[in-house]
Amino acid sequence: MVLKVDVDKFVIRHQYDATDNIRNLMRLKGTILPRTFRCSELWIAVFIHYLLFFIRAYSSCPPDNASCVTAGDLYKRHLLNLSDTTSLTTLVVFFLVFYNGNCFQRFISLYLLVNTAGGQLHSASLFLRDYFEDPLSRWQVMRYMLASHRIFFYVMRKQVAEWYGFAEGSAMHPGSWDDFAETSLIPLGLLMKEETEWLREYGANKHKPCLSWSAAALKRIIDQHSDHPKTGYLFEGAQP
């Protein structure tokens, strides 16, 4: 296999800086605002609000029409009492407190799991870099892990897009498996074309065979470097 990337420079270049408070407060990327601004319901609600406001503020009747009623008069005639909003208040409290709180807890759980997975990948890469000197041997293990990570989130995005009714080719759909392989797996050297073709026909979770391939690659380089003092120390307790 010919690597198409420099494995020694395969690093994350853009990271979240927890100490840069001003930039974090001003940034929009990674927040809910970009997705909110793309929501058509938001702008429809704003338009209706201002439309009703201008109708109420500037509607008038001809002087010679005594039976005419302005929008402001209609508004005053149909003022709501506080008791009329009891059901609405109950629903608002339910959604704001209980439902949104439950959704937030689920988000936090998913966020922690995703960060844990990323941290495990970093730890594995550091161990491999420390215990094995051959870059190609290290990459044979890591590329399958990284491919599994990418495939997992590709499948999640694809399922969500199809659940919402987005077809292939739309901005919200990640595309077909072949498109994903040609743009995100093969160019980065994560998988070979033959491996992506095998995974395309694989019926179950496509990210799991990559983990098996990574374990097999790790076993091969352990066998090749079994006489290395660091390798023997690291994996001595794992031997049957």
Side-chain angles (χ1 to χ4, degrees):
M1 174 185 177
V2 179
L3 294 179
K4 297 183 179 181
V5 295
D6 187 349
V7 295
D8 290 328
K9 296 181 180 180
F10 195 80
V11 296
I12 298 177
R13 297 182 179 180
H14 303 285
Q15 294 186 357
Y16 176 80
D17 187 0
T19 62
D20 195 352
N21 298 325
I22 301 300
R23 180 177 297 180
N24 295 335
L25 289 174
M26 301 300 295
R27 67 187 295 178
L28 293 178
K29 186 177 181 181
T31 67
I32 196 175
L33 293 179
R35 185 177 181 88
T36 303
F37 291 151
R38 292 196 300 266
C39 183
S40 59
E41 289 83 353
L42 171 68
W43 302 109
I44 293 175
V46 172
F47 173 77
I48 293 176
H49 170 77
Y50 279 103
L51 178 63
L52 295 177
F53 170 78
F54 284 113
I55 291 175
R56 175 192 169 191
Y58 298 104
S59 65
S60 60
C61 291
D64 56 348
N65 190 350
S67 61
C68 178
V69 180
T70 64
D73 295 333
L74 288 175
Y75 175 77
K76 293 178 181 178
R77 291 181 185 179
H78 298 86
L79 288 177
L80 292 176
N81 296 322
L82 186 61
S83 59
D84 297 331
T85 62
T86 303
S87 300
L88 181 61
T89 303
T90 304
L91 289 175
V92 170
V93 171
F94 171 77
F95 280 106
L96 287 180
V97 178
F98 299 104
Y99 180 76
N100 286 348
N102 185 37
C103 292
F104 182 73
Q105 289 297 328
R106 293 171 61 186
F107 165 77
I108 289 296
S109 300
L110 178 61
Y111 178 80
L112 293 176
L113 290 174
V114 170
N115 279 273
T116 300
Q120 294 293 339
L121 287 175
H122 292 168
S123 299
S125 64
L126 291 175
F127 275 116
L128 290 170
R129 189 177 183 86
D130 183 44
Y131 284 90
F132 302 102
E133 299 178 356
D134 183 18
L136 183 59
S137 298
R138 299 196 300 255
W139 181 247
Q140 289 297 329
V141 179
M142 284 305 303
R143 71 184 183 94
Y144 290 124
M145 291 187 183
L146 295 172
S148 176
H149 199 249
R150 281 177 172 262
I151 292 171
F152 177 78
F153 286 103
Y154 160 76
V155 173
M156 286 186 61
R157 290 180 57 204
K158 186 172 183 292
Q159 291 177 349
V160 171
E162 292 176 350
W163 187 81
Y164 278 105
F166 294 104
E168 290 186 8
S170 63
M172 300 300 296
H173 198 286
S176 65
W177 169 259
D178 291 334
D179 294 335
F180 170 69
E182 293 292 338
T183 57
S184 299
L185 297 178
I186 298 176
L188 294 177
L190 301 181
L191 291 178
M192 295 184 293
K193 186 175 181 60
E194 295 79 5
E195 293 168 335
T196 61
E197 292 175 350
W198 187 91
L199 287 174
R200 181 182 56 198
E201 305 300 328
Y202 186 71
N205 296 325
K206 298 183 185 299
H207 67 282
K208 290 186 177 180
C210 295
L211 297 177
S212 299
W213 295 343
S214 178
L218 178 60
K219 185 177 184 302
R220 286 196 299 269
I221 64 173
I222 291 175
D223 294 338
Q224 294 172 2
H225 301 80
S226 58
D227 56 342
H228 195 284
K230 282 189 176 182
T231 307
Y233 171 77
L234 178 63
F235 298 101
E236 181 179 0
Q239 299 298 327

